[in-house]
Amino acid sequence: MNNYLQQILTYFRNLTLNASGVSRDLYQLLQDKDISRALDMLQNRDDEVDQAIKEYNPQTHDVMKRPNKFRKGDDPYITEKLPRTRARYINDIELFFLLGNPIEWKKEEGDDEAFSLFTDFLEEQHFNSRIRQAKRLAGAETESALIAHIYRDDDTGERRVKLNVLARSKGYRLRPLFDTIGNMTAFAYGYVTKEHGRSIQHWDFQTPKILAYCRKAQIGWEIEIYPNPTGKINVIYFQQPKAWDGAEARINREEMLDSKTGDTNNYFSDPIAAATADVIQTMTDPNKPGKLIQLTGEKSRFEYVNPPQASQTRDAEKSDLSKSILFDTYTPDFDTEAMRGFGTLSGVAIRNAFILGYIKRDNRKEIYDELVGRFRNIVIAILAYEHPDKRAALEALKIKFEFAEPFADDKQAKWQSIASLYQAGLISLETAVTMLSLTDAPEEEIARLLAASAQKQQQGQQPSANKEDNPAQPPVNIPREPISA
């Protein structure tokens, strides 16, 4: 009862503060349980996200709203509604060029054991699949988020972390807050849970200092606030233009043309005949065998109506729409004809053929390079929280990353090039091992290679054994096939 009265008092207190125009920061609003006012401070992009989701889902395209044709004395004609998945194709190609292969991580400075903790964390949390999912959702909805949930295991009390992807289509509403120079200073996400058959609204907030968990009560909100153990907002917020941005009108036009062509084909799918009245009268008996048609006069006529042929301008428009949609969105065409013969091309030749995809890849790297770098820093902070005894080694790590080439041939050519440079003496063994990025512990690998090389040299310098110690073995008689004359 006291808790219920407190919620009422808090509710009216916030109404009074808001009406009087009292200035409060986000932390004060959360302490005052004024969640509505706190959310007003954050960025709301729901309208843009909902529009993108509508365009991404073929079932909600404008072509699905084509009206049916009502016919007198007959059932209405159901018009063809033929949406296409252009947006999905364009988005998946964009994803392939940026994250078709996993991100490559390289240790520049620091301890190998600390670097192994970093790479093990990525593997345990399925980072490669998580970031692909977040990227696909961002390209489809213009925003998504990758969040690291930090908690303690109820049974063991151990510190735990779990990565999760948030997006509007997954039931989350995202609310970032940026300062004047573009740094994210707060983040919130809303979702709904079911409790005892009742829907409960939640909003969780993160700042570098606090984690706040808000639950909608019957009146007001119930809030739990905890210190943030990492000192960072444990969220990567992805925001980008739609993958098909700029081609919306052409995609809609292409679907309308396809649907109208389908209507024409339906109309003429069954043979349609034109005949004069005297000919029709001879065809009134359905039991009359044979298919003889009798023409009784000079003006008698019976002929089939041929479907209208597609005009050159219509074919030209369809072809232009197909090409321009891909070209305007920097999307290579991966149809069968385009891919024929690519198996024998080198990586450079493939890159030149698909230059549009690489142009768009570089454009997206302007967004995702910074975000992946921020994720790297968050992981190091999380690992320092999980392993306080290794905090110094983790914070001393310097890790570099690269977006891998989408085509595997380029990786093989790169390896061959590095091996050639090493054999020619143009780079050191340490540089070669680091450039290859085939191991998470390059220092240990270099030590093993040097030890193996030293052992071979030592074996090569040993004196050969005396003949007396190793008497020659008698020759072995090898049977031979008889030589025919």
Side-chain angles (χ1 to χ4, degrees), residues 112-308:
D112 283 347
E113 184 180 357
F115 184 64
S116 295
L117 285 175
F118 178 87
T119 55
D120 290 344
F121 177 89
L122 299 184
E123 184 176 356
E124 292 169 0
Q125 297 295 330
H126 307 287
F127 167 73
N128 293 325
S129 60
R130 292 284 191 272
I131 194 172
R132 279 178 56 87
Q133 184 182 4
K135 169 67 185 73
R136 178 182 283 111
L137 289 167
E141 306 178 20
T142 73
E143 70 175 10
S144 67
L146 184 62
I147 184 172
H149 295 287
I150 301 176
Y151 63 99
R152 285 189 179 273
D153 190 284
D154 293 337
D155 298 329
T156 64
E158 295 181 357
R159 300 170 179 179
R160 300 286 187 182
V161 180
K162 181 176 178 55
L163 289 183
N164 191 23
V165 178
L166 312 179
R168 182 75 176 88
S169 59
K170 293 171 67 69
Y172 297 92
R173 295 181 182 274
L174 310 184
R175 298 289 188 272
L177 177 62
F178 297 93
D179 60 18
T180 56
I181 59 175
N183 295 322
M184 188 165 67
T185 58
F187 184 85
Y189 58 99
Y191 54 97
V192 176
T193 60
K194 287 285 188 178
E195 299 180 13
H196 307 293
R198 189 166 63 96
S199 296
I200 305 298
Q201 178 70 46
H202 297 261
W203 281 98
D204 295 349
F205 291 77
Q206 286 199 22
T207 73
K209 295 182 178 181
I210 65 164
L211 305 176
Y213 303 97
C214 311
R215 180 181 181 275
K216 189 75 168 69
Q218 293 183 351
I219 296 179
W221 292 81
E222 299 172 357
I223 301 179
E224 296 178 355
I225 300 178
Y226 302 94
N228 188 341
T230 65
K232 297 180 180 293
I233 300 175
N234 307 303
V235 177
I236 306 299
Y237 174 68
F238 300 85
Q239 182 182 337
Q240 67 160 86
K242 295 176 292 188
W244 63 97
D245 185 45
E248 299 90 343
R250 289 182 178 270
I251 292 174
N252 183 60
R253 174 68 176 174
E254 183 184 45
E255 293 176 340
M256 289 294 183
L257 282 178
D258 287 346
S259 300
K260 291 178 181 178
T261 301
D263 288 336
T264 301
N265 292 338
N266 289 342
Y267 187 76
F268 290 97
S269 60
D270 295 325
I272 301 176
T276 55
D278 57 334
V279 175
I280 293 175
Q281 290 177 358
T282 65
M283 303 171 63
T284 55
D285 187 2
N287 297 320
K288 186 175 181 179
K291 297 182 180 179
L292 179 65
I293 298 173
Q294 183 179 4
L295 304 179
T296 59
E298 295 180 356
K299 296 184 179 180
S300 297
R301 183 170 63 92
F302 182 90
E303 60 187 12
Y304 284 99
V305 179
N306 294 321

Side-chain angles (χ1 to χ4, degrees), residues 420-437:
S420 299
L421 291 172
Y422 173 68
Q423 292 174 357
L426 298 177
I427 59 175
S428 65
L429 177 63
E430 291 79 0
T431 303
V433 172
T434 303
M435 292 174 64
L436 286 171
S437 301

Side-chain angles (χ1 to χ4, degrees), residues 75-116:
D75 294 333
Y77 171 75
I78 307 300
T79 57
E80 290 293 338
K81 304 167 181 64
L82 305 176
R84 300 196 62 171
T85 58
R86 284 285 195 184
R88 293 182 183 177
Y89 173 82
I90 295 169
N91 189 38
D92 282 341
I93 296 300
E94 178 180 305
L95 174 64
F96 166 77
F97 272 90
L98 186 65
L99 294 172
N101 286 317
I103 294 174
E104 298 175 349
W105 302 92
K106 300 178 183 179
K107 179 180 74 67
E108 292 189 319
E109 295 181 13
D111 181 61
D112 283 347
E113 184 180 357
F115 184 64
S116 295

